[in-house]
């Protein structure tokens, strides 16, 4: 008791060492000194993305939009971010596979997973698309809203010039367009879900316009990225394995965006 010696001084007086570290430990009945807490905590992973997105929403500058998308992709791990959409890829892949089966049948009615797509022939396009989404992307699935809205948007993009659902209008090209659009919608929806208050000071009409322009940036990237992947298949997407194609394109889109 009372025989302990002072510890030698820390060489160089390192700022990482608290001042009390060079002193004798306090007696058991004395309180321990509090550890120093850094004044600045690490920034949130998406704070840079939100700053860029706020700038984009305020100015409409496409360069700021690309920066926001790039920062989001890097924060999410680049190509690895596609893992977040794995379930969506499987669910959406099932709907796209049904569409591909119709294309392969050259206008003939086909039954996929017990669902006769021939029953949709001649029905208003919106009604037919709703039926397809309900069948293959039913309510109650994980990420329900994102997957269902992405698939509906993709089908409208691919078939929107048809007033009614026409089996003969479902071609390989339609399947490709729907697939690429579905991927772009998944990625855009993921970004939009993290936008925070980036548009709070922007008039609603302007905000919608700029969100659509941001969506177009993602779609353009998806179009460019998907081309070599689809060319590898001969330009026609087979019903089997479409979920894998969706996952591959999604991963490549995130990889491309990390360069922005």
């Amino acid at each position: 008791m009372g025989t302990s010696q002072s510890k030698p001084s820390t060489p160089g007086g390192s700022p990482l060492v608290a001042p009390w570290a060079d002193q004798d430990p306090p007696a058991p009945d004395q309180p321990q000194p509090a550890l120093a807490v850094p004044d600045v905590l690490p920034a949130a992973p998406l704070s840079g993305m939100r700053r860029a997105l706020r700038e984009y929403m305020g100015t409409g500058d496409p360069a700021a939009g690309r920066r926001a998308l790039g920062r989001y992709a890097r924060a999410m791990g680049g190509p690895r971010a596609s893992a977040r959409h794995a379930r969506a890829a499987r669910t959406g892949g099932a709907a796209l596979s049904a569409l591909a089966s119709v294309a392969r049948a050259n206008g003939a009615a086909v039954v996929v997973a017990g669902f006769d797509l021939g029953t949709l022939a001649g029905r208003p396009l919106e009604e037919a698309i709703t039926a397809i989404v309900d069948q293959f992307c039913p309510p109650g699935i994980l990420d329900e809203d994102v997957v269902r809205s992405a698939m509906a948007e993709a089908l409208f993009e691919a078939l929107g010039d048809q007033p009614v659902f026409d089996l003969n209008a479902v071609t390989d090209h339609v399947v490709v367009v729907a697939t690429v659009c579905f991927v772009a919608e998944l990625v855009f929806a993921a970004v939009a879900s993290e936008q925070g208050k980036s548009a709070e000071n922007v008039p609603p009409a302007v905000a919608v316009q700029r969100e659509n322009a941001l969506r177009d940036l993602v779609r353009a990237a998806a179009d460019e990225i998907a081309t070599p992947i689809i060319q590898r298949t001969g330009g026609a997407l087979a019903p089997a394995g479409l979920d894998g194609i969706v996952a591959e394109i999604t991963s490549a889109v995130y990889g491309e965006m990390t360069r922005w």
Side-chain angles (χ1 to χ4, degrees):
M1 295 181 60
T3 60
S4 62
Q5 298 180 354
S6 296
K7 298 175 184 176
S9 298
T10 304
S14 171
L16 298 178
V17 180
W20 50 264
D22 292 334
Q23 302 172 4
D24 289 333
D29 59 346
Q30 294 181 358
Q32 295 284 344
L35 294 174
V37 178
D39 293 330
V40 180
L41 296 175
L46 294 174
S47 59
M49 168 264 194
R50 291 185 179 123
R51 283 195 301 272
L53 194 56
R54 188 178 300 112
E55 177 188 352
Y56 166 72
M57 294 301 290
T59 65
D61 180 7
R66 286 173 63 88
R67 278 197 302 276
L69 293 170
R71 289 175 181 177
Y72 176 81
R74 289 189 291 275
M76 293 295 103
R80 296 191 304 276
S82 63
R84 300 182 65 209
H85 306 300
R87 189 181 295 271
R90 290 193 296 272
T91 304
L96 294 168
S97 293
L99 213 61
S101 296
V102 173
R104 287 291 176 93
N106 295 316
V110 295
V111 177
V112 179
F115 182 63
D116 185 357
L117 279 89
T119 61
L120 302 179
R123 290 168 65 176
L125 184 63
E126 183 174 355
E127 185 179 313
I129 287 176
T130 299
I132 293 172
V133 171
D134 285 344
Q135 176 66 30
F136 296 100
C137 309
I141 60 175
L142 190 66
D143 295 331
E144 168 189 330
D145 292 340
V146 171
V147 176
R148 286 171 60 83
S149 63
M151 182 52 63
E153 180 68 23
L155 295 177
F156 273 114
E157 180 71 16
L159 294 165
D161 58 347
Q162 303 291 326
V164 298
F165 187 75
D166 181 2
L167 293 173
N168 289 294
V170 181
T171 62
D172 289 333
H173 176 69
V174 163
V175 178
V176 169
V177 171
T179 300
V180 175
C181 184
F182 178 67
V183 169
E185 286 298 309
L186 284 182
V187 175
F188 173 75
V191 175
S193 70
E194 300 290 355
Q195 67 179 331
K197 299 180 179 180
S198 59
E200 64 178 347
N201 296 320
V202 181
V206 175
V208 170
Q209 180 184 25
R210 289 175 181 167
E211 280 189 4
N212 286 335
L214 196 67
R215 175 188 274 111
D216 288 342
L217 287 175
V218 179
R219 284 194 180 181
D223 282 338
E224 182 178 353
I225 290 297
T227 298
I229 296 174
I230 292 170
Q231 285 177 341
R232 192 182 66 217
T233 70
L237 298 178
L242 251 170
D243 55 341
I245 294 291
V246 169
E248 183 178 357
I249 296 174
T250 305
S251 178
V253 168
Y254 274 109
E256 171 63 22
M257 284 169 32
T258 60
R259 302 183 180 93
W260 294 1

